[in-house]
């Protein structure tokens, strides 16, 4: 590593402040353009542009090489620019949304997708991606659940690690690697009432048990950068939260990389009511250890004054500058400022067959079969020549990409009608849009449905209904889709519903009335090929939910690893009337965490333990037989849950601790075997330790978070 102290000594304060400022690509290319933040005018002057440290949101090998070249010509100290971007689930070859990919329960697939995303980004000139998002998601009203890996800390941690390893490899300076920035530290996913940017109030116990593990896993995997979050956490906005960044991230977890604010989040501390002006916002962020200010310019405008007033020391700025320079050095930019930017490689790799095939494979694995009364797979070459009718707003739509789909384009996606037509004879009338409705069209579709033998009904949300700032207070099917579905069900033919959406939906009527329901999410560039593979039975679905689906929005937030109450349902002391429940609907989810069907069925045996007593530092084995009771091969995700029956703090009713994906032939049986050790029993105890407490535990080996056989053991 170069020693940057000398260089930093030669830099003026203004040059240093520009180095720790990030501008949008627009400001960079047009000298005096302005950017409208939240009621906030950002003006980039020439001096700042010439010395800026990093750029957000541009790509393309030719453009970036040109920009870098010009920058190095004008920059006094010849410090290369760092180009950052949101490459969340693919660059141009788009994979399913992160929530969908988490339903694969296969971190190795997420890693593969991240490697491909890194390669396409790197050849296009990008050096760092703002991914993974490690926020735990519990409230389906929050639009950004689509960017998460769901509600479980164990899976969230696995996926966080996989993304980082996929982007960075073992050395970010290597070819086709980009640096990874985890976000949004911390607890952004807990926005009250699911309204984006809303405040969060989360106990330290909850933070440490459920929210921190995902971020921590990304840090441990070597992520080079951490992004602050927009929310205030327990009264302190993240971008000014010293405890989070100095005490937890740096001191406790040993993070040595760079911290960046979220977009304009520093100046937003004024609106939070946490800083009275820009100078105070800048001071609080710098004191918290936020190195780079994204897009707003409180550092650039106020730090000089703060230093003169003795409210800030220049050493603090120097430290941040050093971290930014070290990151550039780690990426190898001082030796090769263009890194992998290469027009020829762009042509060769972006959207290449290999990448598309991976997108199709991962999309297939991410889809979750929610219901099937036997109507699936569709028998395409049926000698009865059954008439298949495809309808609904997604019947002939290319909207396969969610909000954060980088450079993905709908023109590169095929519609379900196009893909299915290659495989089988179908007729198609969409009949309705997601939000629009024309009586005549509906009637035409209903008529065609009456004349068919089997109906494929493709429903969902607009891509713009999830993602940032897209919170919903009604998470049913938008527009007139439910009414349309009712008309189609009324025809009395078998109906297979395919859902395209970014969040768990409250769809009790669909669940009740459809013969089959396939959750396809926003499946990416190759999404409809994957849907077709599943519908035709060429591939048996194996995805499992990572977020619970509620019956009604009023249940949100609903998640499996909750705490019990003193009055749970079916409790022997209190009548059901006075148990913790709703009087007008279900308390349990419509589809629980871990749920998903395939084209065969499995039978679980009893849980058998090697011992009912576990000694300190010891371990026991738990096993359960699994039999494929259907007539085709299939993959089951056998899930191991633990419950600490009583502790110095209340413990969740269940927590996922391990799982096995097991593929069995028809009639085949095997044993799912798990080792349980003391580490799995540890939690943040009342005396602020992290330890396993002696006492009784329950083990469930289960097909999802609501079922399973159970056994008990005791830690002594
Ligand atoms: C989002 C971040 C994103 C950033 C840069 C913000 O609005 O919250 O997730 O990385 O913009 O695009």
């Amino acid at each position: 590593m170069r020693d940057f102290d000398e260089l930093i000594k030669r830099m003026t304060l203004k040059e240093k402040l520009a180095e720790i400022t990030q501008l949008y690509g627009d400001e960079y290319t047009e000298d005096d353009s302005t950017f409208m933040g939240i009621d906030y005018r950002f003006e980039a002057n020439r001096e700042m542009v010439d010395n800026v440290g990093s750029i957000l949101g541009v790509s393309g090998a030719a453009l970036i090489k040109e920009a870098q070249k010009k920058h190095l010509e004008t920059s006094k100290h010849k410090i290369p620019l760092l180009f950052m971007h949101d490459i969340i689930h693919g660059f141009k070859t788009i994979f399913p949304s992160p929530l969908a990919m988490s339903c694969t329960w296969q971190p190795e697939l997420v890693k593969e997708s991240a490697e491909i995303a890194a390669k396409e980004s790197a050849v296009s000139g990008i050096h760092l991606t703002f991914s993974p998002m490690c926020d735990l998601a519990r409230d389906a009203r929050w639009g950004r659940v689509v960017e998460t890996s769901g509600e479980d800390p164990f899976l969230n941690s696995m996926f966080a690690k996989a993304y980082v390893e996929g982007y960075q490899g073992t050395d970010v300076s290597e070819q086709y690697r980009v640096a990874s920035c985890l976000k949004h530290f911390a607890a952004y996913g807990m926005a009250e009432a699911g309204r984006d940017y809303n405040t969060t109030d989360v106990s330290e116990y909850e933070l440490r048990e459920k929210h921190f593990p995902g971020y921590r896993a990304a840090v441990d995997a070597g992520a080079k950068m951490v992004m602050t979050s927009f929310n205030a956490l327990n009264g302190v906005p993240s971008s000014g939260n010293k405890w989070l960044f100095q005490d937890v991230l740096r001191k406790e977890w040993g993070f040595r990389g760079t911290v960046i604010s979220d977009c304009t989040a520093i100046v937003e501390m004024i609106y939070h009511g946490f800083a009275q002006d820009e100078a105070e916002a800048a001071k609080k962020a710098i004191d918290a250890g936020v190195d780079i200010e994204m897009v707003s310019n409180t550092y650039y405008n106020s730090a000089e004054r703060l230093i003169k007033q003795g409210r800030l020391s220049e050493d603090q700025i120097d430290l941040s500058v050093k971290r930014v320079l070290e990151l550039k050095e780690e990426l190898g930019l001082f030796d090769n400022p263009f890194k992998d930017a290469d027009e020829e490689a762009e042509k060769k790799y972006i959207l290449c067959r290999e990448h598309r095939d991976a997108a199709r494979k991962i999309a297939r694995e991410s889809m979750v079969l929610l219901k099937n009364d036997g109507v699936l797979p569709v028998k395409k070459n049926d000698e009865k020549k059954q008439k298949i009718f495809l309808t609904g707003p997604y019947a002939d739509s290319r909207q396969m990409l969610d909000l954060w789909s980088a450079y993905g384009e709908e023109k590169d996606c095929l519609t379900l009608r196009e893909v299915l037509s290659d495989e089988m004879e179908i007729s198609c009338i969409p009949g309705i849009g997601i939000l629009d409705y024309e009586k005549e069209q509906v009637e035409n579709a209903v008529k065609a449905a009456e004349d068919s033998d089997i109906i494929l009904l493709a429903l969902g949300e607009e891509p713009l209904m999830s993602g940032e700032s897209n919170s919903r207070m009604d998470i049913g099917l938008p527009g007139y889709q439910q009414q349309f579905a009712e008309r189609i069900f009324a025809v009395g033919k078998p109906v297979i519903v395919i859902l395209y959406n970014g969040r768990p939906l409250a769809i009790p009527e669909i669940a009740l009335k459809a013969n089959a329901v396939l959750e396809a999410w926003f499946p990416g560039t190759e999404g409809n090929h994957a849907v077709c593979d599943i519908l035709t039975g060429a591939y048996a679905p194996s995805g499992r939910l990572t977020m619970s689906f509620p019956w009604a929005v009023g249940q949100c937030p609903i998640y499996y690893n909750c705490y019990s109450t003193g009055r749970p349902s079916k409790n022997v002391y209190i009548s059901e009337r006075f148990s913790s429940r709703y009087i007008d609907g279900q308390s349990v989810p419509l589809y629980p965490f871990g749920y998903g069907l395939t084209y065969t069925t499995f039978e679980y045996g009893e849980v058998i333990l090697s011992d009912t007593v576990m000694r300190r530092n010891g371990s026991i084995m738990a096993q359960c037989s699994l039999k494929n009771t259907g007539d085709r091969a299939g993959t089951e995700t056998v899930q191991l849950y633990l419950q600490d029956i009583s502790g110095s703090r209340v413990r969740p009713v269940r927590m996922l601790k391990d799982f096995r994906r097991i593929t069995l032939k028809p009639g085949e049986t095997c044993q799912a075997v798990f080792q349980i050790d003391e580490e799995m029993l540890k939690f943040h105890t009342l005396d602020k330790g992290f330890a396993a407490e002696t006492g009784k535990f329950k083990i469930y080996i289960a097909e999802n978070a609501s079922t399973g056989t159970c056994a008990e053991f005791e830690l002594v």
Side-chain angles (χ1 to χ4, degrees):
M1 179 73 74
R2 277 184 175 81
D3 181 1
F4 290 108
D5 294 339
E6 278 307 309
L7 170 58
I8 293 170
K9 269 191 212 141
R10 279 188 272 120
M11 292 169 79
T12 65
L13 182 58
K14 275 295 193 200
E15 285 164 1
K16 292 184 216 173
L17 294 171
E19 184 61 36
I20 55 172
T21 298
Q22 174 161 96
L23 295 180
Y24 264 129
D26 301 354
E27 276 97 15
Y28 181 74
T29 43
E30 298 165 43
D31 311 17
D32 56 357
S33 74
T34 53
F35 165 76
M36 291 295 292
I38 297 166
D39 211 10
Y40 175 82
R41 187 166 286 272
F42 176 87
E43 286 168 7
N45 63 32
R46 185 74 249 171
E47 187 196 4
M48 185 194 211
V49 167
D50 283 349
N51 293 293
V52 73
S54 58
I55 298 293
L56 162 66
V58 281
S59 83
L63 180 74
I64 285 188
K65 283 205 292 200
E66 165 91 7
Q68 187 73 287
K69 195 163 144 271
K70 278 200 189 139
H71 177 78
L72 290 171
E73 280 161 16
T74 48
S75 142
K76 188 161 94 196
H77 303 288
K78 309 286 170 239
I79 302 173
L81 279 169
L82 189 55
F83 289 93
M84 309 193 192
H85 213 306
D86 290 277
I87 308 301
I88 308 300
H89 52 109
F91 176 83
K92 202 163 165 75
T93 305
I94 301 299
F95 295 93
S97 307
L99 182 61
M101 281 207 280
S102 70
C103 294
T104 62
W105 291 52
Q106 296 176 71
E108 61 281 11
L109 294 184
V110 160
K111 185 172 168 185
E112 185 182 341
S113 80
E115 269 167 2
I116 291 173
K119 189 167 183 175
E120 292 193 4
S121 308
V123 298
S124 305
I126 291 163
H127 305 135
L128 180 143
T129 174
F130 293 132
S131 170
M133 175 152 158
C134 305
D135 307 309
L136 209 68
R138 285 181 176 174
D139 193 327
R141 291 171 294 182
W142 189 48
R144 300 197 80 166
V145 302
V146 70
E147 297 170 58
T148 73
S149 296
E151 68 193 37
D152 175 63
F154 177 72
L155 286 183
N156 193 25
S157 306
M158 275 190 159
F159 287 115
K161 178 172 183 276
Y163 279 108
V164 176
E165 289 177 354
Y167 295 130
Q168 297 194 160
T170 48
D171 177 354
V172 282
S173 71
E174 274 174 10
Q175 197 181 29
Y176 307 145
R177 295 296 179 185
V178 294
S180 159
C181 171
L182 72 95
K183 63 192 188 185
H184 308 83
F185 198 50
Y188 179 38
M190 292 292 280
E192 264 184 23
R195 181 162 53 82
D196 204 6
Y197 316 123
N198 205 1
T199 206
T200 63
D201 217 287
V202 190
S203 73
E204 192 174 336
Y205 176 47
E206 266 292 276
L207 281 174
R208 290 192 180 278
E209 283 287 302
K210 313 241 180 85
H211 300 273
F212 281 175
Y215 308 111
R216 175 76 194 259
V219 167
D220 289 348
K224 297 291 171 200
M225 191 176 275
V226 176
M227 188 186 290
T228 70
S229 55
F230 286 126
N231 55 299
L233 174 62
N234 302 334
V236 182
S238 155
S239 300
N241 199 321
K242 233 174 166 167
W243 175 71
L244 276 180
F245 288 90
Q246 302 282 20
D247 298 341
V248 177
L249 182 71
R250 292 207 183 272
K251 291 199 193 100
E252 236 182 79
W253 299 356
F255 177 69
R256 300 178 61 80
T258 315
V259 172
I260 191 166
S261 76
D262 201 348
C263 196
T264 65
I266 295 180
V267 77
E268 287 170 27
M269 292 199 288
I270 300 172
Y271 296 90
H272 274 291
F274 188 67
Q276 58 182 2
D277 54 23
E278 287 189 17
E280 194 179 5
K283 177 179 160 44
K284 286 193 164 171
I286 292 169
D287 283 345
V290 180
D291 300 306
I292 303 178
E293 177 167 15
M294 191 196 292
V295 175
S296 56
N297 58 356
T298 68
Y299 285 11
Y300 194 78
N301 289 345
S302 333
E304 204 165 7
R305 196 156 20 106
L306 288 167
I307 292 170
K308 275 199 193 113
Q309 291 168 345
R311 291 164 72 194
L312 209 65
S313 108
E314 194 161 342
D315 291 348
Q316 290 174 275
I317 306 295
D318 289 357
L319 183 60
S320 291
V321 173
K322 192 169 177 179
R323 288 186 186 130
V324 175
L325 297 179
E326 284 179 352
L327 175 57
K328 293 181 176 183
E329 167 76 350
E330 279 185 275
L331 280 155
L333 298 181
F334 282 95
D335 297 319
N336 175 12
F338 307 114
K339 198 166 184 292
D340 304 320
D342 177 347
E343 292 90 322
E344 285 310 308
E346 279 181 308
K347 281 188 218 135
K348 187 167 165 200
Y349 294 124
I350 292 179
L351 270 180
C352 66
R353 190 69 264 156
E354 191 193 328
H355 293 183
R356 276 183 173 265
D357 287 348
R360 178 173 180 164
K361 173 182 73 181
I362 296 173
R364 255 185 340 224
E365 301 279 329
S366 71
M367 293 176 187
V368 186
L369 183 62
L370 298 175
K371 182 177 181 185
N372 186 17
D373 67 3
V375 68
L376 277 177
V378 174
K379 289 149 204 82
K380 56 177 172 171
N381 296 321
D382 197 322
E383 48 309 330
K384 280 185 267 157
K385 281 267 175 270
Q386 55 173 356
K387 286 191 250 166
I388 301 171
F389 174 57
L390 171 63
T391 187
Y394 270 100
D396 202 11
S397 162
R398 291 181 207 286
Q399 296 192 116
M400 296 295 115
L401 314 176
D402 73 21
L403 185 66
W404 284 116
S405 291
Y407 293 95
E409 290 183 81
E410 285 177 4
K411 73 168 180 49
D412 295 319
C413 309
L414 292 178
T415 75
L416 189 54
R417 179 189 62 76
E418 288 165 339
V419 175
L420 285 178
S421 306
D422 279 349
E423 291 286 321
M424 53 177 96
E425 224 171 273
I426 55 162
S427 62
C428 173
I429 302 175
I432 185 176
I434 291 172
L435 294 172
D436 359 297
Y437 166 98
E438 257 184 53
K439 196 164 179 335
E440 201 187 322
Q441 284 297 314
V442 172
E443 297 311 324
N444 288 344
V446 171
K447 229 201 250 133
E450 281 164 356
D451 189 36
S452 69
D453 298 310
I454 186 160
I455 302 165
L456 303 173
L457 176 57
L459 305 169
E461 294 180 295
E462 289 274 2
L464 276 177
M465 287 176 174
S466 54
E468 187 175 348
S469 77
N470 293 321
S471 301
R472 294 183 63 202
M473 55 167 99
D474 172 0
I475 56 168
L477 286 164
Y480 300 93
Q481 292 181 92
Q482 186 60 45
Q483 288 96 313
F484 182 68
E486 296 296 347
R487 293 287 309 275
I488 298 294
F489 292 137
V491 168
K493 305 283 167 66
V495 180
I496 298 162
V497 170
I498 304 120
L499 293 170
Y500 298 82
N501 48 290
R503 53 158 64 74
L505 296 173
I507 41 161
E509 296 296 318
I510 298 286
L512 203 69
K513 294 174 186 165
N515 298 80
V517 183
L518 176 68
E519 177 54 80
W521 307 109
F522 288 117
T525 315
E526 290 290 323
N528 275 324
H529 274 120
V531 171
C532 178
D533 290 341
I534 292 178
L535 294 182
T536 58
Y539 172 82
S542 68
R544 294 287 180 272
L545 294 180
T546 56
M547 252 190 111
S548 312
F549 274 47
W551 286 86
V553 70
Q555 289 180 289
C556 290
I558 183 165
Y559 52 97
Y560 87 94
N561 49 7
C562 56
Y563 303 109
S564 179
T565 65
R567 293 186 166 197
S569 179
K570 315 224 166 29
N571 140 15
V572 287
Y573 299 106
I574 308 288
S575 72
E576 201 58 13
R577 164 81 183 84
F578 290 100
S579 70
S580 180
R581 61 178 190 132
Y582 296 103
I583 57 167
D584 55 353
Q586 296 280 347
S587 305
V588 294
L590 172 62
Y591 296 119
F593 173 87
Y595 176 83
L597 307 171
T598 184
Y599 290 155
T600 185
T601 45
F602 293 95
E603 196 180 271
Y604 283 67
E606 294 298 312
V607 178
I608 299 166
L609 300 182
S610 59
D611 205 329
T612 52
V613 173
M614 190 202 283
R615 308 207 173 271
R616 286 265 175 223
N617 301 317
S619 68
I620 58 169
M621 304 302 282
Q623 70 178 59
C624 161
S625 67
L626 180 74
K627 181 172 184 194
N628 181 345
T629 47
D631 54 11
R632 68 175 273 176
T635 301
E636 174 70 346
T637 303
V638 181
Q639 302 160 32
L640 174 81
Y641 295 93
L642 285 183
Q643 181 193 8
D644 187 347
I645 293 176
S646 97
S648 58
R649 291 181 196 266
V650 294
R651 303 293 297 131
V653 292
R654 278 187 191 198
M655 281 195 100
L656 181 74
K657 292 289 172 181
D658 205 351
F659 62 90
R660 302 261 181 283
R661 292 186 83 252
I662 297 176
T663 304
L664 294 179
K665 296 195 198 95
E668 200 182 350
T669 303
C670 80
Q671 295 292 321
V673 185
F674 297 93
Q675 178 171 334
I676 294 147
D677 56 31
E678 198 183 328
E679 205 50 39
M680 285 180 174
L681 314 181
K682 288 187 177 165
F683 73 104
H684 295 89
T685 57
L686 195 59
D687 58 10
K688 298 221 162 203
F690 182 65
E693 292 177 343
T694 52
K696 287 190 174 155
F697 292 81
K698 274 188 183 163
I699 294 181
Y700 296 87
I701 299 185
E703 53 195 329
N704 64 59
S706 295
T707 56
T709 55
C710 166
E712 262 185 42
F713 71 93
E714 191 169 359
L715 178 72
V716 294

